[in-house]
Amino acid sequence: MHALDILGDPVRRRILELLAEGERSAGEIGDDVQREFGISQPAVSQHLRVLREAGFATVRPDGARRLYAVAPEPLENAAAWFDPFRRFWQPHLDALGTELARGRRARRLASDQEVHPRTEESDTTEPQEE
């Protein structure tokens, strides 16, 4: 199965988002996903199995619990698949980054002006007497 087939499912994407925050038990994942998507526990287990078999998640026993974690390699491979297409959105993201930086700078300068307002007296220098 292709990585995009795995990632194309919103439930599996959500599970990976949860796992990106750190290792989680199957029960914790099930509780969150069942609440968010209204699916059964067996359906969540099926999604976990697909992620595990496709290599996107690892599982390890911890007593009676099964702890899941993200396996980064398949995600890196999926990201590499997008490389030829990055030229379509990267310039837009770069431009957005520039605009965000400009906005932060403008807010910082405005904040500095509020904290240290310039007065007319401080803007002009008076000649000193000799």
Side-chain angles (χ1 to χ4, degrees):
M1 190 176 282
H2 191 277
L4 294 181
D5 294 328
I6 303 297
L7 298 174
D9 185 277
V11 173
R12 289 193 286 266
R13 283 196 312 270
R14 180 62 179 136
I15 291 171
L16 288 173
E17 289 169 358
L18 293 169
L19 295 178
E21 297 170 3
E23 193 174 57
R24 288 185 177 233
S25 72
E28 291 171 323
I29 295 166
D31 290 344
D32 287 343
V33 172
Q34 285 174 293
R35 185 177 59 255
E36 291 177 32
F37 290 91
I39 63 175
S40 68
Q41 184 276 326
V44 175
S45 294
Q46 177 67 24
H47 285 291
L48 287 170
R49 185 177 68 77
V50 169
L51 289 170
R52 189 178 63 249
E53 289 178 357
F56 281 84
T58 61
V59 63
R60 70 177 179 88
D62 180 42
R65 301 182 324 157
R66 296 171 57 93
L67 298 177
Y68 284 82
V70 169
E73 298 82 19
L75 292 171
E76 291 166 357
N77 293 338
W81 185 87
F82 282 102
D83 282 344
F85 305 100
R86 290 190 197 285
R87 65 185 172 94
F88 294 111
W89 66 77
Q90 195 61 50
H92 300 290
L93 291 176
D94 293 343
L96 175 61
T98 299
E99 289 304 315
L100 291 172
R102 284 182 182 154
R104 284 190 301 269
R105 182 176 185 272
R107 284 190 302 278
R108 188 178 66 247
L109 291 174
S111 175
D112 288 348
Q113 286 295 323
E114 290 174 8
V115 173
H116 305 291
R118 293 179 58 157
T119 62
E120 235 178 87
E121 291 176 7
S122 65
D123 288 345
T124 59
T125 57
E126 296 181 22
Q128 294 182 354
E129 292 183 27
E130 290 181 36

